[in-house]
Amino acid sequence: MRRVALFTGSSSGADDRWQQAVADLTRSFAERGVGVVYGGASVGLMGVVADTALAHGVEVIGVIPRAVFSAEVPHHGLTELIQVESMHERKAVMASYADAFVALPGGLGTLEEIFEVWTWRTIGLHDKPVAFYDVDGYWSPLLAALDHMVSAGFVRASARDGLVVADRPDDLWAALSRPAGSSTP
């Protein structure tokens, strides 16, 4: 794996545990020589991703829409900062650079990003892994809702089963490193 797209918030969250978890995971990827593609901001958890990856000497590509350029406070120390016109274009560019996608703690933008790339995988536009980093059970309520959607018949079990879910960096790495089509634990 050359690069991973990390979707996360431009906010830091209510306490330091989210920042620490994001830093630990980013460091884990960097120590394996894996670069990062992310939303391009210097603030919040996005800033933690960029600063941690840069401190460990790996490539960091930020992709930021011009419309949110000032609100998300772009990071100017990146390997590459790409400005795009829309959120859809942001995800398409990120997808072109990334070998896998991971949702870290975040808000509506994080959900929008991970759900679009997951949908793309489900309809066959790519076969790259899509994951939720469920540190401290952050994504557990959402994952339960997805399970409910499966049992209600609105989401295919195969789509849900294809999601990678892990709560430790090494477990996430192991799951993302499996060949496409392999089952996840």
Side-chain angles (χ1 to χ4, degrees):
M1 181 177 312
R2 187 169 170 209
R3 294 184 200 104
V4 62
L6 299 178
F7 300 128
T8 194
S10 58
S11 170
S12 294
D15 61 60
D16 291 346
R17 69 182 158 158
W18 310 120
Q19 295 173 50
Q20 188 62 53
V22 166
D24 291 346
L25 181 65
T26 304
R27 184 175 24 269
S28 173
F29 283 122
E31 288 171 352
R32 290 174 167 91
V34 177
V36 170
V37 182
Y38 85 113
S42 64
V43 295
L45 296 181
M46 281 198 264
V48 172
V49 163
D51 292 340
T52 303
L54 290 167
H56 287 82
V58 295
E59 177 184 46
V60 182
I61 299 171
V63 184
I64 192 165
R66 293 182 207 289
V68 297
F69 197 82
S70 60
E72 286 190 352
V73 190
H75 198 299
H76 294 291
L78 306 177
T79 308
E80 184 175 2
L81 180 63
I82 301 168
Q83 292 183 47
V84 295
E85 296 304 321
S86 68
M87 289 298 287
H88 178 73
E89 187 180 359
R90 176 193 237 177
K91 290 181 297 283
V93 169
M94 291 175 77
S96 74
Y97 281 93
D99 300 311
F101 309 93
V102 179
L104 305 175
L108 295 176
T110 302
L111 285 173
E112 185 263 340
E113 290 168 330
I114 198 69
F115 274 101
E116 187 158 348
V117 297
W118 182 32
T119 300
W120 292 349
R121 178 183 165 91
T122 301
I123 63 174
L125 296 180
H126 70 78
D127 65 351
K128 301 171 185 179
V130 176
F132 285 86
Y133 186 52
D134 193 29
V135 63
D136 283 346
Y138 183 81
W139 293 114
S140 294
L142 175 67
L143 296 167
L146 292 173
D147 292 340
H148 172 73
M149 294 167 76
V150 169
S151 62
F154 290 101
V155 173
R156 289 190 314 262
S158 60
R160 172 62 178 90
D161 293 343
L163 283 177
V164 171
V165 178
D167 61 1
R168 294 177 343 126
D170 289 343
D171 294 342
L172 182 60
W173 174 254
L176 294 177
S177 299
R178 287 191 186 93
S182 297
S183 63
T184 56

